[in-house]
């Protein structure tokens, strides 16, 4: 006679209409080492913030794909940043990559390597090369799907991602709707202490002005991004001329 457990597993297999999910062995991902994207499940829905959206399907999380052996994603950046005196920013970025926690704000003039450090963080986490999504593109994706019946649930799912990078904050063209969504996303991540990397070329006053046409519109967001009085947020300022043009701003 079949055991009850075997019967239940067989019924579950028959009822399942989704793809087989390959998960990493339990011993390979401890509590402290679980992927910040999938939480150690080994798979993701493609309506997660992956950059390319094919909603409603399941894909294998990059953490379950063997990582490139001994790949140091910071290696091409390290010597240049050390020479510029950016040791603290480099150390903060590498710490975030190894153990995602809190918020890291990479702040500095145009061309000083903020996005490159953010990409190195994501690539280390994923175990494969990643291209970070600019805030303006993320807001465009949200606005393109605002009429969808499940938009609010999808938006909340994105805001609660285990890890998120917001690149070039302040460059985007704002509308009241976009500013509201951006603020809601940041509030969600701040309250839940979700690991987040933000890059911006603006200081707190400049960012506040960039985020709103009317006085005060962007103050709350800028204040949250630069709220270094808490242990949650670390602001690392990058120095030096532009890597692309050599110009000093």
């Amino acid at each position: 006679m079949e055991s009850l457990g075997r019967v239940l597993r067989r019924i579950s297999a028959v009822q399942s209409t989704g793809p087989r999910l390959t998960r990493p062995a339990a011993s390979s991902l401890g509590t402290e080492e679980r992927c910040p994207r999938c939480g150690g499940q080994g798979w993701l829905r493609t309506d997660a913030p992956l950059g390319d959206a094919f909603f409603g399907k399941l894909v294998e999380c990059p953490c379950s794909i063997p990582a490139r052996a001994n790949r140091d994603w910071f290696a091409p950046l390290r010597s240049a940043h050390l020479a510029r005196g950016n040791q603290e920013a480099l150390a903060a970025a590498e710490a975030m990559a190894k153990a995602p926690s809190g918020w890291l704000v990479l702040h500095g003039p145009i061309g000083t390597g903020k996005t490159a450090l953010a990409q190195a963080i994501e690539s280390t986490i994923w175990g494969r090369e990643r291209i970070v999504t600019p805030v303006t593109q993320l807001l465009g994706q949200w606005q393109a799907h605002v009429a969808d019946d499940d938009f609010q649930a999808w938006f909340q799912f994105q805001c609660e991602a285990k890890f998120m990078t917001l690149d070039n904050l302040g460059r985007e063209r704002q509308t009241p709707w976009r500013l509201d969504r951006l603020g809601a996303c940041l509030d969600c991540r701040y309250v839940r202490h979700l690991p987040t990397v933000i890059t911006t070329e603006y200081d707190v006053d400049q960012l506040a002005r960039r985020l709103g046409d009317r006085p005060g519109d962007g103050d709350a967001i800028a204040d949250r991004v630069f709220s270094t009085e808490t242990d949650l947020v670390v602001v690392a300022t990058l120095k030096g001329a532009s890597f692309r043009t050599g110009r000093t701003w």
Side-chain angles (χ1 to χ4, degrees):
M1 179 179 294
E2 280 187 293
S3 68
L4 177 59
R6 180 175 295 181
V7 171
L8 292 175
R9 287 195 296 272
R10 182 162 53 81
I11 293 172
S12 177
V14 171
Q15 290 177 338
S16 175
T17 57
R20 284 180 72 94
L21 305 178
T22 303
R23 303 187 181 194
S27 60
S28 67
L29 289 174
T31 303
E32 300 298 323
E33 300 173 330
R34 290 180 180 175
C35 172
R37 295 286 183 173
C38 69
Q41 297 301 305
W43 56 271
L44 290 166
R45 294 182 63 88
T46 49
D47 53 3
L50 296 173
D52 299 316
F54 296 91
F55 304 111
K57 297 182 181 179
L58 293 170
V59 295
E60 190 174 19
C61 181
C63 76
S64 63
I65 302 171
R68 300 177 185 178
N70 301 319
R71 179 66 185 268
D72 181 359
W73 298 95
F74 289 91
L77 314 174
R78 194 171 288 116
S79 60
H81 281 298
L82 291 176
R84 289 166 172 240
N86 291 331
Q87 291 92 335
E88 291 185 6
L90 180 65
E94 295 198 52
M96 174 65 86
K98 292 175 183 176
S101 176
W103 284 23
L104 174 60
V105 179
L106 296 171
H107 164 257
I110 296 171
T112 49
K114 302 181 297 295
T115 297
L117 283 177
Q119 289 181 188
I121 293 170
E122 286 226 2
S123 297
T124 301
I125 291 171
W126 282 76
R128 57 189 285 186
E129 187 170 10
R130 292 286 297 167
I131 304 299
V132 298
T133 303
V135 174
T136 184
Q137 183 177 333
L138 182 63
L139 292 174
Q141 291 175 357
W142 291 347
Q143 195 155 17
H145 293 278
V146 68
D148 295 353
D149 292 339
D150 60 349
F151 170 77
Q152 188 56 43
W154 171 69
F155 171 74
Q156 192 66 29
F157 184 83
Q158 289 208 325
C159 292
E160 295 175 359
K162 297 295 184 181
F163 182 85
M164 178 180 281
T165 296
L166 297 171
D167 189 36
N168 284 330
L169 181 64
R171 288 268 196 95
E172 63 279 359
R173 183 185 297 274
Q174 289 293 351
T175 65
W177 184 90
R178 288 187 169 201
L179 190 64
D180 179 71
R181 292 298 86 194
L182 179 61
C185 181
L186 288 171
D187 284 348
C188 170
R189 301 193 66 77
Y190 190 91
V191 170
R192 289 168 173 76
H193 291 197
L194 294 171
T196 306
V197 172
I198 298 171
T199 76
T200 182
E201 67 199 69
Y202 306 106
D203 63 24
V204 61
D205 293 327
Q206 293 169 333
L207 184 61
R209 290 194 295 269
R210 293 284 304 182
L211 291 176
D213 293 331
R214 297 174 302 178
D217 277 356
D219 290 356
I221 293 177
D223 185 68
R224 179 141 291 181
V225 169
F226 284 92
S227 58
T228 53
E229 73 279 359
T230 70
D231 293 332
L232 179 67
V233 180
V234 172
V235 177
T237 299
L238 295 165
K239 300 173 288 185
S242 170
F243 281 111
R244 293 184 290 269
T245 65
R247 181 176 178 181
T248 300
W249 302 92

